[in-house]
Amino acid sequence: MGIVAGLDSSPDFTRIVVCDADTGAVLRQGYAPHPVEGPEGSGRPSDVDPQAWLLSLGEAAGGGLLEGVQAIGVSAQQNAVVPLDAQGGTVRPAMVGGDKRAQVAAADLIDALGGREAWAQAVGCVPQAAQPVTKLRWLAKNEPEAALRTAVLMQAHDWLVWQLLGRPVRRTTDRGGASGTGYWSAATGAYRPDLVELALGHQVMLPEVIGPSDAAGTTPEGLLISAGTGETMAAAFGLGLGLGDAVVSLGASGSVMAVHPEALYDQTGMITSLADATGMHLPVVTTLNAVRTLRGTAELLGLADLESLSDLAMKSTPGAHGLVLLPYLEGERTPALPHTAGTLAGLRRESMKAEHLARAAFEGMLCGLADALDVLRGRGVEVRRIFLLGSAAELPAVQAAAPSLFGAQVVVPQPADYAAIGAARQAAWALGVSQGTLDPRTPPAWQGAVAQVLEPGEELAVGQAVRQQFVSVREQTHPGAFRP
């Protein structure tokens, strides 16, 4: 079929991969950092001039990187809002990232619609500080003139696709990107313009949501541009996730998502109901404490890095001699305990050793994520295989404990630009459909991620006992807080 490209415009850089359209083999790649940083700590969501994304894209594509490419897919950071005026000019810099001070706007919106359940029912998620709908509320309250001039709303990947196509009259997005806005419902597949008006104070134009294998358009040079999508959806597509697959992401905070055939409505707001890049759904459950638990423990023990903490933890045994850490250091979302603190239980003379505390930190982090997995399992989501992402996934203490605590096969993919690869796979799909060689319902079958596969094996019973120990302490400390 030829060659295609996928570009991922993350918060800090642009990566581009050029792939064989049939196999997905990466042929060439480019990289460039974004040239500008938005002001931090200004009491408002971070601002970035979207032109910075274009400059970075141009630099990453230098040296003839895109020569011979027939189609391009775009992945970009989620939650970045580009407010445009009626002529298509930016009203203000793009609003990116999340700022704790935008939580006031989120709380305002939750109250304005009648509570968390009303939001969960409307769009499958409850407003959070980083979400576009919350940023619109912040804009209306803090920059009313800019809010009034806003006539069109786009997200980062929408805006980049639009720019690549030469700023046509038609503006498009995809289900994946739309599902994170807080004003599009994955369950109904439709916008809720009333929620935009509730947040911003007036109606605006929103991009047309096109199908997973649809093309957004063709450049004057004849280059096909696919729908594009958010980074999370692109990475899932690049990894080749399907039904029965879940992803556990180990960042400072943690997240668990899985592929599911339908949107999940969760009245507590624990589940964020996103759409994926294939026509399926990606319910997500977030924890506030993952690698920050490990970093805090390493600092407490005077260790230089997480590798040292892992080495120390491996000197202990499963269950950490009865030591249990509830890792709720920043409060917690899953279970909903926003104002709580962490708990260390099971202190006995024999358990008061550094290696047992190190082990308890790893087990506490993974048990917290297992709770998040149970939220999805409790709603009928099938989990046969778990992809473990993030640099901490490489740590021996994580790999030793994760399969038995999660009760499933764990796959640790080799580090790669999965979001860019997913964007390229989407481009190949749109190209194949346009040429009549691919079914619009079936994406190209690319080779899967190179990965290490870990089985629970004989350790399963031990892991489940450790998990039960964690659950008992959680229930004693916070009775009834967790209801999967």
Side-chain angles (χ1 to χ4, degrees):
M1 235 165 55
I3 59 173
V4 294
L7 71 89
D8 175 38
S9 181
S10 83
D12 302 311
F13 55 78
T14 300
R15 287 195 192 278
I16 301 178
V17 295
V18 176
C19 300
D20 180 287
D22 293 313
T23 67
V26 176
L27 308 173
R28 307 189 287 270
Q29 39 199 327
Y31 166 87
H34 292 333
V36 241
E37 282 295 322
E40 291 292 335
S42 56
R44 61 187 192 181
S46 304
D47 292 344
V48 171
D49 182 349
Q51 292 297 326
W53 306 333
L54 281 183
L55 289 169
S56 172
L57 194 166
E59 191 182 332
L65 184 77
L66 298 179
E67 200 172 307
V69 165
Q70 293 166 274
I72 293 180
V74 177
S75 151
Q77 59 181 302
Q78 282 151 249
N79 298 328
V81 183
V82 187
L84 303 176
D85 60 24
Q87 288 72 46
T90 48
V91 167
R92 67 178 314 287
M95 305 166 76
V96 305
D99 189 305
K100 281 194 172 178
R101 282 158 285 205
Q103 285 172 349
V104 175
D108 273 357
L109 280 175
I110 292 167
D111 290 346
L113 194 66
R116 298 171 66 83
E117 186 172 351
W119 277 96
Q121 204 161 1
V123 285
C125 61
V126 177
Q128 295 152 30
Q131 269 187 306
V133 73
T134 302
K135 291 188 170 95
L136 298 184
R137 181 68 156 201
W138 183 93
L139 191 64
K141 295 282 186 187
N142 293 276
E143 297 178 10
E145 287 181 20
L148 276 173
R149 286 176 50 222
T150 299
V152 182
L153 289 176
M154 301 188 90
Q155 292 189 85
H157 81 81
D158 310 338
W159 188 84
L160 284 165
V161 164
W162 185 57
Q163 295 291 328
L164 288 171
L165 290 171
R167 297 161 60 103
V169 173
R170 182 190 189 216
R171 299 176 179 92
T172 62
T173 189
D174 86 308
R175 298 167 66 254
S179 67
T181 59
Y183 45 81
W184 185 88
S185 165
T188 64
Y191 280 118
R192 287 287 303 265
D194 57 314
L195 299 183
V196 176
E197 189 167 357
L198 180 70
L200 191 62
H202 61 92
Q203 292 287 340
V204 294
M205 280 190 64
L206 299 167
E208 176 190 344
V209 181
I210 60 176
S213 62
D214 291 346
T218 307
T219 68
E221 300 77 32
L223 195 62
L224 190 87
I225 309 292
S226 64
T229 195
E231 268 187 322
T232 298
M233 299 80 192
F237 198 37
L239 282 165
L241 298 191
L243 287 173
D245 289 337
V247 172
V248 172
S249 294
L250 301 175
S253 53
S255 70
V256 175
M257 67 179 180
V259 181
H260 197 56
E262 58 191 38
L264 293 180
Y265 155 63
D266 173 57
Q267 64 181 31
T268 67
M270 269 201 296
I271 298 173
T272 297
S273 193
L274 299 178
D276 79 348
T278 72
M280 303 283 270
H281 295 268
L282 276 179
V284 180
V285 180
T286 307
T287 70
L288 295 181
N289 302 279
V291 176
R292 65 165 43 97
T293 307
L294 305 183
R295 293 205 186 285
T297 308
E299 286 171 19
L300 180 66
L301 294 172
L303 300 173
D305 50 40
L306 297 187
E307 287 73 20
S308 304
L309 185 72
S310 174
D311 292 345
L312 188 60
M314 293 299 281
K315 293 177 182 172
S316 179
T317 52
H321 276 248
L323 212 53
V324 175
L325 177 64
L326 300 184
Y328 307 150
L329 309 183
E330 293 280 323
E332 191 45 85
R333 274 191 65 187
T334 310
L337 296 164
H339 307 299
T340 195
T343 301
L344 187 61
L347 280 170
R348 293 186 177 85
R349 182 65 192 87
E350 63 272 18
S351 66
M352 294 177 74
K353 291 184 178 174
E355 61 263 34
H356 301 324
L357 178 55
R359 179 85 190 197
F362 281 96
E363 291 178 347
M365 174 188 77
L366 291 169
C367 284
L369 289 159
D371 278 352
L373 268 169
D374 281 352
V375 172
L376 295 179
R377 283 172 165 148
R379 295 298 306 279
V381 176
E382 186 184 10
V383 178
R384 290 195 306 267
R385 184 170 65 153
I386 295 166
F387 286 75
L388 203 54
L389 302 186
S391 56
E394 304 286 336
L395 297 171
V398 169
Q399 296 190 2
S404 61
L405 291 177
F406 292 158
Q409 182 188 83
V410 168
V411 178
V412 185
Q414 279 187 4
D417 302 321
Y418 291 111
I421 290 167
R425 190 177 176 207
Q426 187 193 64
W429 196 5
L431 180 65
V433 169
S434 76
Q435 294 174 340
T437 56
L438 286 177
D439 187 319
R441 293 158 303 181
T442 310
W446 280 13
Q447 56 204 21
V450 178
Q452 188 179 359
V453 178
L454 310 167
E455 300 283 357
E458 295 173 4
E459 296 296 311
L460 184 59
V462 175
Q464 297 315 293
V466 173
R467 183 83 207 288
Q468 192 50 54
Q469 183 175 267
F470 177 91
V471 169
S472 297
V473 172
R474 189 195 65 218
E475 278 305 303
Q476 285 166 12
T477 314
H478 305 287
F482 183 72
R483 294 187 181 87

